[in-house]
């Protein structure tokens, strides 16, 4: 008799579980299908079906679930499976240039457009890096002895659930001088509507904006007491068009860059705003 591994779990037919490859620190999504909550580890894709040994569902290579009354076989809606998180794969143009590529989206034209966008961002960063290396050669010929010039790019995925995907691109560059510069660009998407989300979509009236501003101002004061050097009086308001942000498990995070409301030594600061502040 052929041996097989058994899986004691609910099997949802054709329900592929997409697990992000980038590190995740957010809470698991709560995705409800009818009166059933879908959770990772409960959802398997059925790749094959066999009548052997009383009936088997093949859920992965060498792993099977035996048909029984405890196995529920259904097709989960694609949007529910996508809400558990899509697959984000790391790609690289060079050791110092990495970028995300996504797969498993329901909307394939949007998936292709998304992937082209981040490939092009990476190509632009690589072009800037090559230009800096050429400038470094020229500077050395002219008798300067600068440290190695560079332009680097990497990314993280702070949020990937509920059909919302947030990607944070971390950039840094050095072209001589006392120090280099670093900055973060964020990209937030509604995967069901296939569109990018702006900060104005979330903080969509003055009442919400005032509450967020007061929250950040109070947080700056609290951080100053612990050694930060925010210029609190210079902070008037979040810039809904330019400030970078990403989703978190409890709300959003707004990013202020180097020299923004403080000296270079402050670095890049993130202010996590609970959704209760702006909802």
């Amino acid at each position: 008799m052929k041996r097989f591994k058994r899986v004691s779990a609910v099997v949802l037919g054709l329900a592929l579980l997409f697990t992000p490859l980038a590190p995740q620190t957010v809470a698991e999504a709560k995705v409800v299908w009818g009166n059933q909550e879908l959770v990772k580890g409960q959802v398997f894709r059925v790749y094959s079906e066999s009548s052997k040994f009383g009936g088997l569902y093949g859920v992965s290579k060498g792993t099977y679930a035996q048909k029984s009354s405890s196995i529920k076989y259904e097709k989960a809606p694609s949007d529910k499976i996508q809400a558990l998180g899509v697959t984000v794969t790391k790609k690289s143009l060079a050791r110092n240039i990495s970028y995300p590529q996504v797969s498993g989206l329901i909307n394939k034209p949007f998936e292709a457009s998304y992937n082209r966008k981040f490939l092009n961002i990476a190509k632009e960063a690589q072009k800037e890096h090559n230009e800096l290396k050429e400038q470094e050669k020229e500077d050395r010929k002219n008798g300067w002895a600068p440290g190695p010039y560079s332009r680097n790019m990497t990314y993280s995925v702070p949020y990937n659930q509920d059909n919302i995907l947030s990607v944070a691109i971390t950039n840094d560059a050095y072209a001589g001088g006392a120090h280099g510069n670093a900055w973060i660009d964020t990209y937030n998407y509604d995967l069901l509507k296939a569109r990018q989300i702006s900060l104005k979509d979330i903080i969509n009236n003055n009442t919400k904006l005032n509450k967020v501003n007061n929250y950040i101002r109070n947080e700056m004061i609290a951080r100053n007491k612990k050694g930060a050097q925010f210029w609190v009086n210079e902070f008037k308001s979040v810039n809904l068009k330019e400030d970078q942000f990403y989703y978190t498990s409890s709300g959003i995070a707004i990013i202020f860059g180097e020299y923004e409301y403080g000296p270079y030594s402050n670095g890049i600061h993130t202010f996590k705003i609970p959704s209760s502040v702006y909802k």
Side-chain angles (χ1 to χ4, degrees):
M1 179 180 293
K2 184 178 179 180
R3 299 179 63 187
F4 61 90
K5 299 176 183 177
R6 298 181 64 180
V7 176
S8 56
V10 175
V11 177
L12 302 177
L14 302 179
L16 178 59
L17 175 62
F18 296 109
T19 303
L21 299 184
Q24 293 291 302
T25 58
V26 299
E28 296 293 341
K30 184 174 182 179
V31 180
V32 178
W33 172 27
N35 61 359
Q36 171 77 34
E37 181 181 350
L38 304 184
V39 296
K40 295 181 180 181
Q42 175 193 37
V43 182
F44 293 85
R45 178 173 183 172
V46 175
Y47 293 92
S48 62
E49 189 174 357
S50 172
S51 60
K52 293 181 179 179
F53 315 126
L56 299 174
Y57 295 124
V59 294
S60 67
K61 184 177 181 181
T63 303
Y64 301 84
Q66 190 162 25
K67 293 182 180 180
S68 72
S69 60
S70 64
I71 297 292
K72 186 177 183 181
Y73 181 92
E74 294 183 273
K75 182 177 180 180
S78 298
D79 63 317
K80 298 296 183 181
I81 300 304
Q82 182 174 269
L84 289 172
V86 297
T87 299
V88 182
T89 303
K90 180 180 179 179
K91 298 290 185 179
S92 299
L93 294 181
R95 286 189 301 174
N96 61 314
I97 305 289
S98 62
Y99 62 99
Q101 294 286 268
V102 69
S103 60
L105 271 66
I106 299 170
N107 188 321
K108 293 304 179 183
F110 176 64
E111 179 180 297
S113 174
Y114 175 100
N115 288 336
R116 283 195 303 271
K117 179 185 184 73
F118 284 94
L119 173 59
N120 288 336
I121 291 172
K123 286 181 176 179
E124 183 62 27
Q126 186 180 44
K127 177 183 176 184
E128 292 172 4
H129 177 76
N130 293 338
E131 290 173 349
L132 281 174
K133 300 310 287 185
E134 290 301 315
Q135 184 62 50
E136 180 183 340
K137 291 178 182 178
E138 289 299 315
D139 288 348
R140 290 186 183 278
K141 287 180 181 178
N142 292 329
W144 299 351
Y149 294 173
S150 65
R151 167 73 164 89
N152 306 302
M153 170 180 158
T154 186
Y155 76 94
S156 63
V157 184
Y159 198 84
N160 181 13
Q161 62 186 50
D162 307 323
N163 285 306
I164 299 294
L165 179 62
S166 291
V167 174
I169 303 293
T170 300
N171 306 273
D172 69 81
Y174 179 72
H179 55 73
N181 294 299
W183 66 99
I184 297 175
D185 295 322
T186 59
Y187 304 84
N188 302 276
Y189 294 94
D190 182 324
L191 300 182
L192 282 182
K193 295 181 180 180
R195 69 177 184 87
Q196 193 165 350
I197 303 170
S198 71
L199 194 53
K200 195 171 184 178
D201 292 328
I202 301 170
I203 307 173
N204 52 22
N205 60 52
N206 287 332
T207 299
K208 292 180 181 181
L209 180 59
N210 289 334
K211 289 181 178 179
V212 169
N213 288 338
N214 287 334
Y215 186 91
I216 292 176
R217 190 174 293 106
N218 289 333
E219 180 64 20
M220 285 181 172
I221 293 171
R223 293 187 189 184
N224 279 352
K225 292 179 180 179
K226 296 180 180 180
Q229 301 177 60
F230 286 105
W231 303 323
V232 180
N233 291 335
E234 291 194 7
F235 174 71
K236 304 303 180 184
S237 176
V238 169
N239 188 320
L240 298 179
K241 292 183 178 180
E242 297 181 5
D243 284 338
Q244 303 298 302
F245 80 100
Y246 59 80
Y247 279 83
T248 71
S249 59
S250 59
I252 59 172
I254 296 177
I255 301 170
F256 294 141
E258 296 172 342
Y259 294 112
E260 195 170 7
Y261 310 120
Y264 175 80
S265 58
N266 252 20
I268 298 173
H269 273 265
T270 301
F271 291 82
K272 293 186 177 181
I273 318 297
S275 60
S276 58
V277 172
Y278 55 84
K279 285 190 176 180

